Amino acid sequence: MRIGFIQNHPAYGDREENLRALERALRAAGAPDLWVLPELFAVGYLFGSRAEAARLAEPVPDGPTTQALIRLARGSGSALVAGLAERAPDGRIFNSAVGVDRGGVQAVYRKIHLFDREKEWFDPGDLGFPVVALGGARVGLMICFDWRFPEAARTLALGGAQVIAHPSNLVMPFCQSAMVTRAIENRVFTVTANRIGTERADDGSELTFTGRSRIVAPDGAVLADAPEAVTAVGVVEVNPAQADDKRATARNDVLADRRTEFYRLIAPPDKNH
Amino acid sequence: MRIGFIQNHPAYGDREENLRALERALRAAGAPDLWVLPELFAVGYLFGSRAEAARLAEPVPDGPTTQALIRLARGSGSALVAGLAERAPDGRIFNSAVGVDRGGVQAVYRKIHLFDREKEWFDPGDLGFPVVALGGARVGLMICFDWRFPEAARTLALGGAQVIAHPSNLVMPFCQSAMVTRAIENRVFTVTANRIGTERADDGSELTFTGRSRIVAPDGAVLADAPEAVTAVGVVEVNPAQADDKRATARNDVLADRRTEFYRLIAPPDKNH
């Protein structure tokens, strides 16, 4: 199976141009079994307000981004996981990712751990962490800041994910090396698709995205590693069954060795601090 | 508060010499509020058999290692966390760590995630992950391979640990950088005290320990970092209250933002693979 990431530099708010750029990039890169694209890849990130996020949000599956992804999947045979701003029928706005293939939308994930000002722009995800068949593997979806919570990748691994598709718009420096930890603690493949560039908001604030998209193997090997400040494509051949072997040593299995009777992972709020 | 690690090179099976070496190292290094020593620091690691582990095991608190640690705490004022082979009254053998201060033993931790052949030599820990007051901070204990399971550090952080004391005998290459992830995902200090040297077993197998003991701050800063193949001591000044501030951004708290209703961390065995 071949999996890849696209590290892009979206033009803020210009969905049509960003979708055209994606189509050009895909055409040049061939057709792996699974593409992972960045969070909010078609509209940019620094919305500044909930109203602006709502303006750029769209329904799933009928909105233009999801429809373009399905068209690309049908044309190329590749499955794709990509981030977009989702407008739900009831008016809520989510920072979502969809997983699509020739058959249409196979997964919708609504970001569960919102980062910083996303808490003003979006509603918190309400659908859990999905694991679905995509491109020949069992693929789990999480978005960007979810990396910071080990429970996200763990939940996906326990749900059977062989590959974690991780659309991102990273601005802090720790995630890329942490993804090695996420890969080995769960013995899964991880595909982090990040973006590049700087965005400025009306209030003068700005964010620079850190690139360095990467694919990590269940044994911690970094299979592909993009540069920091240029657009890039990375594609590698992997055997997803490698992620079914959870052995860390001849006598250790990273999931079966969990001793949940000693974990106290749900503490009352007053015990948290 | 000052916290430190001692990275040693124990002589296999020679408890008396290893305790003397510890005493020399401590005398040269001053008296921080908390010392963290390696796993099994006084007897070495590669036992080869359960009988040999039993031979080098000792009761807690009456055995010679715990008594020596208490004597050192009383002489210096420093609290200490250190690993030892524990023989329980019922004959079980544990890979344990004790936390001691002037008042005696404040914590006993029996390793919950046994590594590789430790499963033959030791019984699995049965006491949970302790958090106790030691040296002026709330200190949580875990040992070596526990790093691989994010639930260990998470359980300690949710239990209120400001500092994770992490006696280790590391032989694989991933832990040291993973400790940055463990520190930032929980916003705690971590003190990994590793050993150096190579041990050979009768069957010709050998293990080389990787040194690189380190102290990491809640913001991911590496405050002290030992070399790979020499004995070393590292001491840093920290404010444990820094670990009470769980903010990753102005709007994110790494514990309070957990959305446990979406975590499925306890899967039936048949869902694990």
Side-chain angles (χ1 to χ4, degrees):
Chain A
M1 176 189 181
R2 290 193 309 141
I3 57 180
F5 59 75
I6 292 187
Q7 173 169 301
N8 76 341
H9 187 170
Y12 180 80
D14 191 345
R15 184 188 291 115
E16 281 186 30
E17 170 51 28
N18 294 326
L19 287 172
R20 272 195 301 272
L22 170 66
E23 201 161 346
R24 285 192 299 271
L26 291 185
R27 205 176 302 127
D33 300 286
L34 175 65
W35 280 118
V36 183
L37 277 52
E39 182 182 14
L40 298 163
F41 81 99
V43 294
Y45 181 84
L46 196 50
F47 301 122
S49 73
R50 184 176 172 90
E52 174 71 351
R55 183 180 74 82
L56 291 166
E58 53 186 285
V60 172
D62 295 332
T65 301
T66 306
Q67 287 301 310
L69 293 167
I70 293 171
R71 203 165 51 243
L72 288 165
R74 290 187 176 147
S76 66
S78 301
L80 301 100
V81 172
L84 78 175
E86 178 191 1
R87 188 187 314 116
D90 62 7
R92 286 181 300 166
I93 309 294
F94 296 102
N95 184 345
S96 294
V98 293
V100 307
D101 62 13
R102 292 169 183 276
V105 173
Q106 304 301 332
V108 179
Y109 169 61
R110 293 169 168 173
K111 191 175 185 178
I112 284 183
H113 302 102
L114 295 172
F115 177 73
D116 206 20
R117 293 184 63 191
E118 293 170 26
K119 290 190 174 189
E120 300 169 357
W121 309 334
F122 293 107
D123 293 288
D126 61 346
L127 296 178
F129 294 96
V131 179
V132 296
L134 270 183
R138 296 189 305 274
V139 178
L141 276 62
M142 65 184 205
I143 298 176
C144 201
F145 191 56
D146 288 325
W147 76 265
R148 184 73 171 250
F149 299 83
E151 294 88 349
R154 190 61 121 197
T155 295
L156 291 171
L158 288 169
Q162 297 165 313
V163 176
I164 292 180
H166 182 213
S168 295
N169 274 195
L170 297 163
V171 294
M172 301 215 294
F174 292 108
C175 172
Q176 285 90 342
S177 65
M179 291 313 292
V180 176
T181 304
R182 296 286 172 257
I184 62 171
E185 71 197 9
N186 294 297
R187 303 261 330 162
V188 293
F189 292 94
T190 64
V191 185
T192 299
N194 194 17
R195 60 162 287 181
I196 65 164
T198 296
E199 289 187 2
R200 285 173 195 81
D202 288 343
D203 65 4
S205 64
E206 63 174 49
L207 287 175
T208 295
F209 303 91
T210 59
R212 297 178 57 219
S213 298
R214 52 172 37 187
I215 301 173
V216 186
D219 62 1
V222 178
L223 303 179
D225 210 6
E228 188 175 329
V230 296
T231 60
V233 170
V235 176
V236 300
E237 175 85 32
V238 303
N239 176 6
Q242 190 189 338
D244 296 332
D245 177 359
K246 298 300 183 190
R247 282 176 297 182
T249 73
R251 296 169 187 80
N252 289 108
D253 177 304
V254 296
L255 295 189
D257 281 1
R258 297 169 70 242
R259 299 188 65 204
T260 54
E261 66 274 34
F262 295 110
Y263 304 159
R264 290 169 31 187
L265 300 174
I266 300 180
D270 62 314
K271 292 281 301 267
N272 280 357
H273 293 250
Chain B
M1 175 187 182
R2 289 192 309 141
I3 56 179
F5 61 74
I6 292 188
Q7 173 169 301
N8 77 341
H9 187 171
Y12 179 81
D14 192 344
R15 182 188 291 114
E16 281 186 29
E17 171 50 29
N18 294 327
L19 287 172
R20 274 195 300 271
L22 171 66
E23 202 161 345
R24 285 193 299 271
L26 291 184
R27 206 178 301 127
D33 300 285
L34 174 67
W35 280 118
V36 183
L37 279 51
E39 182 182 15
L40 298 162
F41 81 99
V43 294
Y45 181 84
L46 197 49
F47 300 124
S49 72
R50 184 175 173 91
E52 174 71 350
R55 183 179 76 83
L56 292 166
E58 53 187 282
V60 173
D62 295 333
T65 301
T66 307
Q67 287 300 310
L69 293 168
I70 293 171
R71 203 165 52 241
L72 289 164
R74 289 186 176 147
S76 66
S78 300
L80 301 99
V81 172
L84 78 174
E86 178 191 1
R87 187 187 314 112
D90 61 7
R92 286 180 300 165
I93 309 293
F94 296 102
N95 184 346
S96 293
V98 294
V100 308
D101 62 14
R102 292 168 183 278
V105 173
Q106 304 301 332
V108 179
Y109 169 63
R110 294 169 168 172
K111 190 175 184 179
I112 283 183
H113 302 102
L114 295 172
F115 178 72
D116 206 19
R117 293 184 63 189
E118 293 171 27
K119 291 192 175 189
E120 299 169 359
W121 310 333
F122 294 107
D123 293 288
D126 61 345
L127 297 178
F129 295 94
V131 179
V132 297
L134 270 183
R138 298 189 304 274
V139 178
L141 276 63
M142 65 182 205
I143 299 178
C144 203
F145 191 56
D146 287 326
W147 75 267
R148 184 73 171 252
F149 298 83
E151 293 90 350
R154 189 63 119 194
T155 295
L156 292 170
L158 288 170
Q162 296 166 312
V163 177
I164 291 180
H166 183 215
S168 297
N169 274 194
L170 296 164
V171 295
M172 301 214 296
F174 292 108
C175 173
Q176 286 89 344
S177 66
M179 292 313 292
V180 175
T181 304
R182 296 287 172 257
I184 62 171
E185 71 197 10
N186 295 297
R187 304 262 327 165
V188 294
F189 292 94
T190 64
V191 186
T192 299
N194 193 17
R195 59 162 290 183
I196 64 163
T198 296
E199 289 187 2
R200 284 171 195 82
D202 289 342
D203 66 3
S205 64
E206 64 174 51
L207 286 176
T208 295
F209 302 93
T210 59
R212 299 177 55 218
S213 298
R214 54 173 34 188
I215 301 173
V216 186
D219 62 2
V222 178
L223 303 179
D225 210 6
E228 187 174 331
V230 296
T231 60
V233 170
V235 175
V236 299
E237 175 86 31
V238 302
N239 176 7
Q242 191 187 338
D244 296 332
D245 178 357
K246 298 300 182 189
R247 281 178 297 182
T249 72
R251 295 168 186 81
N252 289 107
D253 177 305
V254 296
L255 295 188
D257 281 1
R258 297 169 71 242
R259 299 187 64 204
T260 54
E261 66 273 34
F262 296 111
Y263 303 159
R264 290 171 28 189
L265 299 174
I266 299 180
D270 62 314
K271 293 279 303 266
N272 279 355
H273 293 249

